Amino acid sequence: MTSASTKFSRDVSTSRASEEGADENPNEAQELGGRRRDRDSEAGLSEFRNPEGSYGLTTTVEDENAGAVSDQEGVAEGSPLGFEDMNLKDELLRGIYAYGFETPSAIQQRAIIPCVQGRDVIAQAQSGTGKTATFCTAVLERTECSTPETQAIILEPTRELALQTHRCLLALGDYMKVQTACIVGGGRVADDVTRLRQSPAHVVVGTPGRVKHLINAQHLDPRRVTMLVLDEADDLLSSDFKDQVYDIFRTLPDQVQVVLVSATMPPEVMSVTEQFMRNPLQILVKKEQLTLAGIRQFYVQVEREVSGCLANAVVGTLAVHLSDPGSNPVPGRM
Ligand SMILES: Nc1ncnc2c1ncn2[C@@H]1O[C@H](COP(=O)(O)OP(=O)(O)OP(=O)(O)O)[C@@H](O)[C@H]1O
């Protein structure tokens, strides 16, 4: 059973009305969409805000049956979806299984397919629920490795998150001929330039400032990008980053798909998303559905802050213990 979230009920009700209107009058939808996505405007961020307010076409999916997926084309309600049911490339599937994933988490079951289908998606689920692997899987599936062009940009608010996401991308794409680049602030720009000159990266993961710089300096070509992912979107669309993110967005092709991923989606961020997303599917996974079947969680209580070495030792001990047969379906993973 599916129910609309009341949190964004204004958007949802307006959405439905707009969606109906859009069906009847496609030109009107196009006009509004064009205005919303007008990146040629000199007005910058003032154009980023939509004076009409709520042409967001947001659809909220909230399932009451854990593991069930509904309101998604091609997915039968109530059937638990496996990675093998997602019609993914063989090499990608191999990477997913080799990484130790057996069953998709709730957010993965709901969000991977619409992202692969090219829809604008807002995916919201708590930390540690597999959001990173969700968009990495979708990006890899949509990447055409035989075309030497940058096809996806994943933005992260911090260097550490960018590196982490890049690692996930490399692991899942291990059996694909995918070229990736991680370009983050703090390192030497010259190193990024050298990397991008070696071979165009199909997928770029980076922090907004450095990505924007490399696009402006024409070291990164945004003209063939089909997918923009904003991870931790609440941070990326906060005042610190919003201008840079929008500057990057304005360089991308008109039809670019936008995927927003976050643990929280405050109303002010939602209102910003309305300005540059087209009819986004909003996927909100409720707290009680968030447990990853393949993951057991532990905590270790310590008296004071522990050093990195000690933390690694604790994790190592747990990993050894967990790899004991029968103790965890995903050895070493927590
Ligand atoms: N389907 C899966 N099966 C087993 N493990 C998984 C699966 N998906 C993700 N994981 C693992 O679960 C952990 C948390 O996943 P991930 O970092 O993607 O979560 P997240 O929602 O992006 O968290 P955050 O919001 O903190 O970035 C990681 O170690 C990841 O490798």
Side-chain angles (χ1 to χ4, degrees), residues 83 101 103 108 126-133 232 292 295 333:
F83 287 114
F101 294 0
T103 313
Q108 290 162 1
Q126 276 187 335
S127 276
T129 54
K131 296 189 297 296
T132 309
E232 309 287 346
L292 276 173
I295 295 180
R333 201 169 290 284

